[in-house]
Amino acid sequence: MELAARLKPIKPSATLAISAKAKEMKAQGIDVVSLSAGEPDFPTPEHICEAAIKAIRDGHHGYTAADGMPELKEAVIRKYRRDSGLDYTPAQVVATCGGKHAIYSLAQATLGPGDEVIIPAPYWVSYPPIVMLAGATPVIVQTDRGSGFKMSPDQLREALSDRTKAIIINSPSNPTGGIYTKEELAALAEAAFERDVLIWTDDIYEKLVFEGQQFHTVAALKPEYKDRVVILNGVAKTYAMTGWRIGFLTGPENVARAVAKIQSQSTSNPCTPAQFAAVAALDGTQEPVEEMRRAFDRRRLLIMELLGKLNVTVDPPLGAFYVFPDFSAYLGGRIKDSAGLCAYLLDQAKVASVPGVAFGSEGYVRFSYATSDENIEEAVARLEKSLANLG
């Protein structure tokens, strides 16, 4: 049987594929250290787990509304009022089956053939495929270390066209850990709103910021921005709840209702006990979040110190839990590109990483420091030895 034509240019997620291969090697008894997965290594906080257990014991086993139960929507509304001074109505909120599902459903609800979406590179690996699966065209704006891997208003204006439907902003960034300042976001918003486009802001790493940095979301910068911005978020990274699969989006009511319609005909509601857990996460104590943030900060400094022993160029990430060093000094000889380098490192050093080409930036490699100090130390020691053999 011939498969759908829209699948032909789509490749599996590079991060998930590499993570799966590392797990397969471990299952075979191979000693692999994985720095590939964007997943906190902490357990989900106990009070969140207890909320799910209570929901199950209380008989909450059935469907909820397709776009999320009222209790979770109200918790999301309280979160944005508390954190960003934003007021949303339940009709402007959709709970989804994870943060990726929120982005996918948003694309399906708002994009079609002929539409364009501007995506700064480096980008999260799934942005372009999600846009393409909706029949639209990703327009990639290349950034570099000189700008902190951040798109400028001039670059944005140059990329805008009559076909531009949306712009994706991810701050803090996966893979670079870069953060846009309030002033930088405002300048991008002014450039974007010169045309009738939506800003999609992926705020999934909002709580993971370092060195006194402040997180800002575009929708909160000016009152008139709120109706032109869709905020994409979830509980996965902040609360170590990757497997619970609860995301949410907030935005203009017509957009949110369109996403809800897509969801009603695809997944229906997110997992019911997981929704109760997400309420506990958003409304409960935030101390575990701060404890995890401090641990990530310590690991960030550790991996930066250790990478300093290698012949790489890297700037300190200011958010998320990734570092994105430039490995160009090791390319061009036996190893031609970042994909080849990561394959070599997995084979020779038994260290799993993700090539920069998967994020739209050749020559770089992404390492996740969402793992133990011991794993970071062992991984970089192995890298040093294997890279020396390339000399």
Side-chain angles (χ1 to χ4, degrees):
M1 183 185 74
E2 186 174 353
L3 299 178
R6 65 178 174 273
L7 288 177
K8 290 181 180 178
I10 305 298
K11 299 177 181 178
S13 166
T15 50
L16 293 181
I18 292 167
S19 181
K21 184 174 182 179
K23 289 177 181 178
E24 181 182 342
M25 292 172 68
K26 285 183 179 181
Q28 296 170 358
I30 301 172
D31 180 20
V32 174
V33 181
S34 181
L35 301 183
S36 62
E39 181 172 33
D41 62 325
F42 300 99
T44 302
E46 186 64 24
H47 71 282
I48 299 173
C49 296
E50 288 299 325
I53 294 169
K54 184 177 186 300
I56 294 169
R57 288 177 173 162
D58 288 350
H60 296 290
H61 307 153
Y63 297 128
T64 71
D67 60 347
M69 65 187 195
E71 295 91 335
L72 179 52
K73 287 189 171 192
E74 291 296 336
V76 171
I77 289 168
R78 287 190 292 273
K79 173 253 186 301
Y80 281 114
R81 186 178 298 133
R82 178 178 67 241
D83 290 354
S84 304
L86 290 166
D87 280 309
Y88 291 102
T89 67
Q92 294 176 291
V93 180
V94 181
T96 61
C97 304
K100 181 182 286 189
H101 184 225
I103 302 170
Y104 181 85
S105 295
L106 175 61
Q108 292 294 315
T110 61
L111 301 178
D115 293 334
E116 294 179 349
V117 177
I118 295 174
I119 305 173
Y123 45 71
W124 178 49
V125 297
S126 290
Y127 292 147
I130 285 173
V131 168
M132 293 164 67
L133 284 168
T137 301
V139 175
I140 307 303
V141 174
Q142 195 67 51
T143 68
D144 56 30
R145 284 186 58 243
S147 65
F149 295 111
K150 292 184 280 190
M151 179 173 61
S152 72
D154 287 343
Q155 286 180 303
L156 175 55
R157 287 188 175 95
E158 186 175 348
L160 285 164
S161 78
D162 293 338
R163 296 179 297 278
T164 305
K165 200 72 175 288
I167 298 152
I168 299 179
I169 295 174
N170 176 213
S171 175
S173 162
N174 172 10
T176 70
I179 298 176
Y180 284 92
T181 67
K182 183 177 182 180
E183 293 74 21
E184 289 168 339
L185 289 174
L188 288 176
E190 289 300 319
F193 298 151
E194 291 170 3
R195 296 174 181 261
D196 185 23
V197 299
L198 274 177
I199 290 180
W200 302 0
T201 176
D202 184 351
D203 295 353
I204 196 74
Y205 296 99
E206 63 172 324
K207 299 295 184 181
L208 298 176
V209 296
F210 314 113
E211 297 188 16
Q213 294 293 308
Q214 296 294 313
F215 166 79
H216 298 281
T217 191
V218 181
L221 297 182
K222 289 185 179 181
E224 60 266 29
Y225 287 177
K226 193 181 79 165
D227 292 332
R228 306 183 75 171
V229 176
V230 178
I231 302 178
L232 301 147
N233 212 326
V235 296
K237 314 297 184 177
T238 299
Y239 300 99
M241 294 177 68
T242 51
W244 296 76
R245 309 313 301 140
I246 296 292
F248 44 87
L249 67 79
T250 54
E253 183 173 334
N254 67 323
V255 174
R257 292 306 85 211
V259 170
K261 185 184 296 185
I262 292 289
Q263 190 156 298
S264 74
Q265 296 292 358
S266 55
T267 60
S268 296
N269 65 276
C271 170
T272 299
Q275 290 190 67
F276 280 92
V279 172
L282 294 172
D283 282 347
T285 175
Q286 302 299 297
E287 181 54 31
V289 177
E290 177 58 19
E291 290 175 2
M292 287 187 280
R293 191 199 67 81
R294 288 195 295 264
F296 287 134
D297 192 15
R298 186 189 68 248
R299 296 167 178 182
R300 178 182 72 97
L301 296 173
L302 174 62
I303 198 168
M304 286 295 299
E305 177 186 353
L306 296 174
L307 286 173
K309 301 177 182 178
L310 309 180
N311 186 22
V312 301
T313 305
V314 61
D315 297 315
L318 299 177
F321 39 62
Y322 309 105
V323 64
F324 199 58
D326 183 352
F327 274 80
S328 297
Y330 293 99
L331 304 179
R334 289 170 52 193
I335 306 295
K336 302 301 182 185
D337 53 29
S338 60
L341 179 62
C342 287
Y344 170 82
L345 294 176
L346 183 57
D347 180 60
Q348 297 297 317
K350 303 299 185 291
V351 174
S353 55
V354 188
V357 67
F359 305 98
S361 293
E362 183 55 88
Y364 294 82
V365 173
R366 192 197 77 174
F367 298 117
S368 167
Y369 51 87
T371 188
S372 68
D373 293 29
E374 293 76 17
N375 280 345
I376 292 170
E377 290 169 348
E378 176 65 19
V380 179
R382 294 184 185 188
L383 293 176
E384 186 175 16
K385 182 177 179 180
S386 294
L387 290 169
N389 292 334
L390 288 176

Short mmCIF file of all heavy atoms in Angstrom, two decimals, residues 114-136:
data_model
loop_
_atom_site.label_atom_id
_atom_site.label_comp_id
_atom_site.label_asym_id
_atom_site.label_seq_id
_atom_site.Cartn_x
_atom_site.Cartn_y
_atom_site.Cartn_z
N GLY A 114 0.22 26.62 1.21
CA GLY A 114 0.50 28.01 0.86
C GLY A 114 0.90 28.88 2.03
O GLY A 114 1.49 29.95 1.85
N ASP A 115 0.58 28.44 3.25
CA ASP A 115 0.95 29.21 4.44
C ASP A 115 2.43 29.00 4.76
O ASP A 115 3.01 27.95 4.46
CB ASP A 115 0.11 28.78 5.65
CG ASP A 115 -1.35 29.15 5.51
OD1 ASP A 115 -1.65 30.11 4.77
OD2 ASP A 115 -2.20 28.48 6.14
N GLU A 116 3.01 30.00 5.42
CA GLU A 116 4.40 29.91 5.86
C GLU A 116 4.49 30.19 7.35
O GLU A 116 3.71 30.99 7.90
CB GLU A 116 5.27 30.93 5.11
CG GLU A 116 5.38 30.66 3.62
CD GLU A 116 6.22 31.69 2.89
OE1 GLU A 116 6.55 32.74 3.50
OE2 GLU A 116 6.53 31.46 1.71
N VAL A 117 5.43 29.52 8.01
CA VAL A 117 5.71 29.74 9.42
C VAL A 117 7.19 30.02 9.57
O VAL A 117 8.03 29.23 9.12
CB VAL A 117 5.31 28.52 10.28
CG1 VAL A 117 5.67 28.75 11.74
CG2 VAL A 117 3.81 28.24 10.14
N ILE A 118 7.53 31.13 10.21
CA ILE A 118 8.93 31.51 10.40
C ILE A 118 9.47 30.84 11.65
O ILE A 118 8.88 30.95 12.73
CB ILE A 118 9.06 33.05 10.49
CG1 ILE A 118 8.65 33.68 9.15
CG2 ILE A 118 10.48 33.44 10.87
CD1 ILE A 118 8.60 35.18 9.17
N ILE A 119 10.60 30.16 11.49
CA ILE A 119 11.21 29.40 12.58
C ILE A 119 12.69 29.76 12.66
O ILE A 119 13.45 29.47 11.72
CB ILE A 119 11.07 27.88 12.35
CG1 ILE A 119 9.60 27.50 12.14
CG2 ILE A 119 11.68 27.11 13.51
CD1 ILE A 119 9.40 26.04 11.74
N PRO A 120 13.14 30.40 13.74
CA PRO A 120 14.58 30.65 13.88
C PRO A 120 15.33 29.34 14.12
O PRO A 120 14.84 28.45 14.83
CB PRO A 120 14.67 31.56 15.11
CG PRO A 120 13.26 32.00 15.41
CD PRO A 120 12.36 30.94 14.86
N ALA A 121 16.51 29.23 13.53
CA ALA A 121 17.39 28.09 13.76
C ALA A 121 18.59 28.55 14.57
O ALA A 121 19.09 29.66 14.34
CB ALA A 121 17.85 27.48 12.45
N PRO A 122 19.05 27.73 15.52
CA PRO A 122 18.63 26.38 15.84
C PRO A 122 17.20 26.33 16.41
O PRO A 122 16.81 27.21 17.16
CB PRO A 122 19.64 25.93 16.89
CG PRO A 122 20.78 26.89 16.81
CD PRO A 122 20.21 28.17 16.35
N TYR A 123 16.48 25.26 16.07
CA TYR A 123 15.10 25.09 16.49
C TYR A 123 14.92 23.70 17.09
O TYR A 123 15.70 22.78 16.85
CB TYR A 123 14.16 25.25 15.30
CG TYR A 123 14.61 24.51 14.05
CD1 TYR A 123 14.56 23.12 13.99
CD2 TYR A 123 15.10 25.20 12.96
CE1 TYR A 123 14.99 22.43 12.86
CE2 TYR A 123 15.52 24.52 11.81
CZ TYR A 123 15.46 23.14 11.78
OH TYR A 123 15.89 22.46 10.67
N TRP A 124 13.86 23.56 17.88
CA TRP A 124 13.49 22.23 18.34
C TRP A 124 13.15 21.37 17.13
O TRP A 124 12.49 21.83 16.19
CB TRP A 124 12.29 22.33 19.29
CG TRP A 124 11.79 21.01 19.78
CD1 TRP A 124 12.52 19.99 20.33
CD2 TRP A 124 10.43 20.56 19.76
NE1 TRP A 124 11.70 18.93 20.66
CE2 TRP A 124 10.41 19.26 20.31
CE3 TRP A 124 9.23 21.14 19.34
CZ2 TRP A 124 9.24 18.52 20.45
CZ3 TRP A 124 8.06 20.41 19.49
CH2 TRP A 124 8.07 19.12 20.04
N VAL A 125 13.61 20.14 17.15
CA VAL A 125 13.59 19.31 15.95
C VAL A 125 12.20 19.11 15.35
O VAL A 125 12.07 18.87 14.14
CB VAL A 125 14.22 17.93 16.23
CG1 VAL A 125 15.69 18.08 16.61
CG2 VAL A 125 13.46 17.18 17.33
N SER A 126 11.16 19.21 16.15
CA SER A 126 9.82 18.89 15.65
C SER A 126 9.07 20.06 15.04
O SER A 126 8.02 19.85 14.41
CB SER A 126 8.97 18.29 16.78
OG SER A 126 9.44 17.00 17.13
N TYR A 127 9.56 21.29 15.20
CA TYR A 127 8.82 22.42 14.64
C TYR A 127 8.61 22.30 13.12
O TYR A 127 7.47 22.38 12.65
CB TYR A 127 9.52 23.75 14.93
CG TYR A 127 9.53 24.19 16.38
CD1 TYR A 127 10.61 24.90 16.88
CD2 TYR A 127 8.47 23.93 17.24
CE1 TYR A 127 10.65 25.33 18.20
CE2 TYR A 127 8.51 24.35 18.56
CZ TYR A 127 9.61 25.06 19.05
OH TYR A 127 9.64 25.47 20.35
N PRO A 128 9.68 22.14 12.32
CA PRO A 128 9.45 22.08 10.87
C PRO A 128 8.55 20.92 10.44
O PRO A 128 7.63 21.13 9.63
CB PRO A 128 10.87 21.96 10.29
CG PRO A 128 11.75 22.60 11.33
CD PRO A 128 11.13 22.20 12.63
N PRO A 129 8.76 19.69 10.94
CA PRO A 129 7.86 18.61 10.52
C PRO A 129 6.40 18.85 10.88
O PRO A 129 5.50 18.51 10.11
CB PRO A 129 8.41 17.38 11.24
CG PRO A 129 9.84 17.69 11.49
CD PRO A 129 9.88 19.16 11.76
N ILE A 130 6.15 19.43 12.05
CA ILE A 130 4.76 19.71 12.45
C ILE A 130 4.12 20.70 11.48
O ILE A 130 2.96 20.54 11.08
CB ILE A 130 4.73 20.24 13.89
CG1 ILE A 130 4.96 19.07 14.87
CG2 ILE A 130 3.40 20.94 14.20
CD1 ILE A 130 5.11 19.51 16.32
N VAL A 131 4.88 21.71 11.08
CA VAL A 131 4.38 22.69 10.10
C VAL A 131 4.11 22.00 8.77
O VAL A 131 3.07 22.21 8.12
CB VAL A 131 5.39 23.84 9.94
CG1 VAL A 131 5.04 24.71 8.73
CG2 VAL A 131 5.43 24.69 11.22
N MET A 132 5.04 21.15 8.34
CA MET A 132 4.90 20.47 7.06
C MET A 132 3.72 19.50 7.06
O MET A 132 3.03 19.35 6.04
CB MET A 132 6.21 19.74 6.73
CG MET A 132 7.38 20.68 6.48
SD MET A 132 8.99 19.87 6.55
CE MET A 132 8.90 18.80 5.12
N LEU A 133 3.48 18.83 8.18
CA LEU A 133 2.36 17.90 8.24
C LEU A 133 1.01 18.61 8.15
O LEU A 133 -0.01 17.98 7.84
CB LEU A 133 2.43 17.08 9.53
CG LEU A 133 3.48 15.96 9.53
CD1 LEU A 133 3.68 15.40 10.92
CD2 LEU A 133 3.07 14.85 8.56
N ALA A 134 1.01 19.91 8.41
CA ALA A 134 -0.21 20.70 8.24
C ALA A 134 -0.32 21.25 6.82
O ALA A 134 -1.26 22.00 6.51
CB ALA A 134 -0.24 21.85 9.25
N GLY A 135 0.63 20.91 5.96
CA GLY A 135 0.59 21.36 4.57
C GLY A 135 1.25 22.70 4.33
O GLY A 135 1.26 23.20 3.20
N ALA A 136 1.82 23.29 5.38
CA ALA A 136 2.44 24.62 5.27
C ALA A 136 3.95 24.48 5.07
O ALA A 136 4.51 23.38 5.10
CB ALA A 136 2.12 25.45 6.50
#
